[in-house]
Amino acid sequence: QVQLVESGGGSVQAGGSLRLSCAVSGYFYRNKCMGWFRQAPGKEREGVVAIYTGGGSTWYADSVKGRFTISQDSAEDTVYLQMNSLKPDDTAMYYCAADLSSGPGACRANGVEPRSGRTYWGHGTQVTVSS
């Protein structure tokens, strides 16, 4: 059973930073598309970032380019999301996702495929940015 456990959310003032972590267990193959989604109250879920763990290629939503960085620790099967220059619009529940079906090209072009039957989700961690 694939499980994802997120940590690192919290509250911060605008301009501040937070780092989220997502640890994967139950899936022993290195290559997968890992990413983060977020959903604010009354808004649709949106993809934020993704990384293909086999080679390290990344995808970023335009809204976070230059501010957010996704990275990985392959030995620990953990991905990290470093969020800098946070804005109130970044306030949302952030969900980690593991897409076991997308290859490196699809992951780099589009991020995690949220509708795949082989995409697994964490329970989410809240990020709140105050002005």
Side-chain angles (χ1 to χ4, degrees), residues 24-94:
V24 183
S25 62
Y27 185 74
F28 304 105
Y29 296 97
R30 179 182 178 185
N31 298 343
K32 50 189 174 292
C33 184
M34 294 288 300
W36 294 87
F37 286 72
R38 65 186 182 187
Q39 187 166 22
K43 294 187 177 181
E44 293 187 357
R45 180 181 59 189
E46 62 172 344
V48 178
V49 297
I51 186 168
Y52 192 74
T53 59
S57 56
T58 57
W59 171 88
Y60 291 89
D62 288 343
S63 58
V64 304
K65 283 180 181 177
R67 301 188 299 122
F68 290 13
T69 303
I70 189 169
S71 60
Q72 62 173 323
D73 182 335
S74 298
E76 298 295 327
D77 212 356
T78 299
V79 295
Y80 302 97
L81 178 59
Q82 178 66 42
M83 304 184 294
N84 298 330
S85 302
L86 282 162
K87 306 174 183 179
D89 283 349
D90 295 317
T91 295
M93 184 71 79
Y94 283 70

